[in-house]
Amino acid sequence: MPIILPEDPTPIAKVPSTENKTGGWRTFRPVIHYEKCIRCYICWKFCPDAAIYFAPPEAHESPKEALAKFDTVEINYDFCKGCGICANECPVKAIELVLEESVGGDE
Amino acid sequence: MKMILTGNESAAWGARLSRPKVIAAYPITPQTSIIETIAAFIANGEMDARYIRVESEHSAMAACIAAQNTGVRTFTATSAHGLALMHELLIWASGARLPIVMSVVNRAMAPPWSVWTDQLDTMAERDSGWIQLYTQNNQEVLDSIIMSYKIAEKHNVLLPTMVIEDAFILSHTAEGVDVPDQKKVDDFLGEYDPAFKLDPDDPAGFGSLIMPEGPYMEFRYKMALAFEDARNEIKKVVEEYNETFERNYSPFIEEYRTEDADAIMVVLGTIGSTAKDVVDRMHEKGKKVGVARVRYFRPFPAEELRMLARKTDMLGVVDRSYSFGPGADLYAETRSVLYKHTDIPVKGYVMGLGGRDITPQILEKVFDDMLSVAKEGVVDKEVEWVGLHGDERWS
Ligand code: SF4
Ligand code: SF4
């Protein structure tokens, strides 16, 4: 039997990282309190894992009429690792970190 | 064009002529004048490259890895503690199969604090997966950088390369150097043709996780095969370079008066040129000795050393570093590859640590010691420290 060697000289992954769900690493779950969220997208900018994404304006309530026409944000818990950066950066403290067990984590 | 260049200027010229697109570097004595010279080339518009000033050597190598991954040539330079700080990324660069070329100016590791020549820094990286080439003069520094890009970039090699020079003896000492014509170097090297690269149109991740049942071992085995292929490519490229630029480098070992020698000294780096001088003097006194200067320590010239051993009655191996186990690296590896291939005695000599001068007088005494070992046929002491304060044998 001949030795089977990989074709590439070094591992070159063509499978996108979205195939590898890593949300199970989370200890704390960031939960957005939409009644405070001013749709500034700072959390979206800072999230190191692109786990925050845009949702249509009407998907959630808004604290002010003037903000209601802008897109809102949501968190993809399949990839959020609970680092808490978003909660730390949110200027109006709209993101709360909740211990995963206390919300019955599903990962 | 003939120029008067230091070893470090020669390294900078070697890089300039090879047209790397990214230089990421952090200063450290005695390497600093390499990256200063390159910075001046770029500032003067003589070199078209991006110069990245980083906060450490660890970052310098990280930047070279990332840049090379985008499909361009890169270059950096370091010494001693800087090389040690790069350690993690050195192994990454070779495992990622990126043909980065780096100048390393050998310098002693502290403490005691020292900036002078000593080979422990590069010997400590012998298993990092880099090709290692030890040079003897400034011309060889310049030429080797050009040749190294060509060898490293072959798709059956893809291994990063350290071109190593002795601190101060080469790095800060000027001599006449023939600087090849840019056009000729361009023709010799050709455009960089990466085996793979980051491409937004064909996204990929490099260096991903491999589970124990995955091909981790197979990737390492491919590197081992690449080192074997590198031997052939080194021979071919050195031959082609010799022809194109009228030089006469021997690929792995430069031999001097080794035919019919009663004892041959095996050395690395500039010790070779002093030793050759001493060999001539010894011959005048009727003592038949020779020198073999090992150029490539990785890949290790096993077959060449076996052929060398057949020519003589004794090998004396000089190391400018010490390994707290087998004694010293060049010595230990030489003995290891000779095992069962020869019965001749092999003795190790450790000298010149921390930049202590290796003088012709000392080498003459070492040659005399080697001749007496050759005559007795047995080694009195496997590894001997030469020239310790108060030891009158060598003074
Ligand atoms: S906790 Fe971290 S990973 Fe999760 S959404 Fe916030 S910033 Fe992103
Ligand atoms: S940083 Fe806070 S306020 Fe801004 S969008 Fe994110 S959750 Fe809303």
Side-chain angles (χ1 to χ4, degrees):
Chain A
M1 282 267 285
I3 293 170
I4 302 162
L5 295 178
E7 219 173 281
D8 294 324
T10 191
I12 298 175
K14 294 285 182 170
V15 180
S17 55
T18 46
E19 294 296 301
N20 188 14
K21 293 186 179 170
T22 46
W25 303 2
R26 198 168 56 237
T27 304
F28 289 99
R29 171 184 293 223
V31 175
I32 302 176
H33 292 288
Y34 289 100
E35 74 281 4
K36 293 190 200 161
C37 170
I38 55 170
R39 305 190 178 189
C40 68
Y41 313 138
I42 286 176
C43 55
W44 170 81
K45 270 187 212 147
F46 275 86
C47 173
D49 201 292
I52 296 181
Y53 59 98
F54 295 108
E58 64 283 1
H60 297 286
E61 63 175 300
S62 162
K64 279 191 188 113
E65 188 65 40
L67 293 169
K69 63 175 190 282
F70 297 107
D71 278 352
T72 179
V73 288
E74 285 180 357
I75 293 171
N76 186 339
Y77 294 111
D78 280 347
F79 300 102
C80 164
K81 293 170 187 64
C83 68
I85 289 173
C86 54
N88 192 57
E89 296 297 335
C90 175
V92 294
K93 300 277 160 258
I95 301 179
E96 183 189 1
L97 290 171
V98 185
L99 194 62
E100 194 63 33
E101 287 99 79
S102 69
V103 290
D106 51 2
E107 287 291 337
Chain B
M1 176 185 29
K2 273 269 185 193
M3 291 177 79
I4 302 291
L5 298 177
T6 63
N8 282 354
E9 287 164 347
S10 304
W13 268 97
R16 169 175 164 168
L17 290 166
S18 307
R19 297 191 190 275
K21 283 279 165 252
V22 174
I23 318 295
Y26 190 83
I28 182 170
T29 303
Q31 164 281 120
T32 308
S33 49
I34 297 178
I35 60 161
E36 279 175 351
T37 307
I38 291 178
F41 286 154
I42 296 174
N44 297 341
E46 294 163 326
M47 209 174 147
D48 176 24
R50 175 76 74 88
Y51 194 97
I52 309 177
R53 288 171 299 159
V54 287
E55 76 283 13
S56 74
E57 288 85 353
H58 190 274
S59 303
M61 188 44 62
C64 285
I65 288 169
Q68 190 95 21
N69 249 328
T70 68
V72 296
R73 274 188 194 130
T74 64
F75 180 83
T76 186
T78 194
S79 291
H81 293 261
L83 185 65
L85 184 54
M86 272 183 193
H87 175 70
E88 181 197 3
L89 278 305
L90 293 179
I91 296 175
W92 191 279
S94 62
R97 306 298 299 276
L98 298 168
I100 298 166
V101 175
M102 166 164 71
S103 274
V104 181
V105 184
N106 273 139
R107 159 183 159 178
M109 297 293 296
W113 202 247
S114 165
V115 297
W116 295 276
T117 204
D118 181 304
Q119 285 156 351
L120 175 60
D121 55 355
T122 46
M123 283 299 162
E125 301 301 343
R126 65 177 186 191
D127 292 332
S128 61
W130 284 57
I131 291 174
Q132 284 197 345
L133 166 57
Y134 291 78
T135 57
Q136 178 190 239
N137 55 42
N138 297 351
Q139 186 70 58
E140 192 179 11
V141 170
L142 185 151
D143 292 334
S144 297
I145 289 172
I146 299 168
M147 280 185 268
S148 293
Y149 277 108
K150 180 136 183 168
I151 295 159
E153 289 170 6
K154 299 268 178 186
H155 286 195
N156 58 339
V157 178
L158 297 178
L159 293 166
T161 305
M162 294 180 197
V163 178
I164 301 160
E165 51 172 305
D166 285 331
F168 300 106
I169 300 168
L170 291 189
S171 70
H172 289 64
T173 306
E175 56 185 7
V177 174
D178 176 50
V179 177
D181 175 53
Q182 179 70 65
K183 171 81 179 57
K184 248 172 126 180
V185 176
D186 288 346
D187 290 346
F188 176 78
L189 269 185
E191 286 274 313
Y192 176 42
D193 169 29
F196 52 87
K197 61 171 184 165
L198 285 171
D199 180 356
D201 294 327
D202 183 21
F206 298 101
S208 43
L209 181 75
I210 289 184
M211 303 304 275
E213 63 279 13
Y216 183 91
M217 266 186 82
E218 285 71 16
F219 278 118
R220 301 307 288 185
Y221 181 64
K222 283 194 87 164
M223 278 179 76
L225 295 179
F227 267 94
E228 288 309 313
D229 280 356
R231 289 174 204 278
N232 298 327
E233 298 299 342
I234 288 167
K235 281 188 203 139
K236 282 193 251 170
V237 170
V238 168
E239 208 172 289
E240 191 189 336
Y241 195 89
N242 283 345
E243 243 165 66
T244 317
F245 297 94
E246 290 163 30
R247 310 275 195 260
N248 65 20
Y249 295 108
S250 353
F252 293 102
I253 299 183
E254 181 201 354
E255 295 186 29
Y256 187 70
R257 302 188 90 157
T258 51
E259 301 306 323
D260 296 323
D262 292 330
I264 297 174
M265 186 183 278
V266 181
V267 301
L268 291 166
T270 55
I271 305 166
S273 44
T274 316
K276 281 184 268 182
D277 211 48
V278 175
V279 161
D280 289 342
R281 291 192 211 171
M282 305 280 295
H283 273 258
E284 280 163 23
K285 295 181 195 165
K287 297 174 180 177
K288 280 160 52 192
V289 289
V291 187
R293 179 176 67 90
V294 171
R295 292 189 347 113
Y296 281 95
F297 188 72
R298 287 288 179 273
F300 195 70
E303 202 42 57
E304 289 77 4
L305 282 165
R306 287 175 193 143
M307 308 242 288
L308 186 77
R310 282 186 213 122
K311 295 182 179 173
T312 187
D313 300 329
M314 189 275 174
L315 290 181
V317 184
V318 174
D319 275 273
R320 204 168 200 152
S321 62
Y322 186 76
S323 170
F324 300 94
D329 293 291
L330 183 59
Y331 161 74
E333 298 206 5
T334 302
R335 272 197 67 176
S336 160
V337 299
L338 293 181
Y339 183 65
K340 299 252 181 180
H341 285 268
T342 177
D343 293 328
I344 65 162
V346 180
K347 180 171 173 177
Y349 299 88
V350 171
M351 62 177 102
L353 304 194
R356 183 168 300 176
D357 222 2
I358 296 180
T359 62
Q361 291 73 20
I362 287 178
L363 287 184
E364 192 163 340
K365 295 207 164 158
V366 173
F367 273 121
D368 280 335
D369 186 69
M370 285 165 54
L371 285 170
S372 74
V373 171
K375 207 162 147 208
E376 301 288 321
V378 283
V379 172
D380 50 334
K381 205 172 177 187
E382 291 193 338
V383 176
E384 184 138 20
W385 287 60
V386 174
L388 295 172
H389 289 166
D391 185 350
E392 296 189 348
R393 282 187 67 193
W394 313 100
S395 51

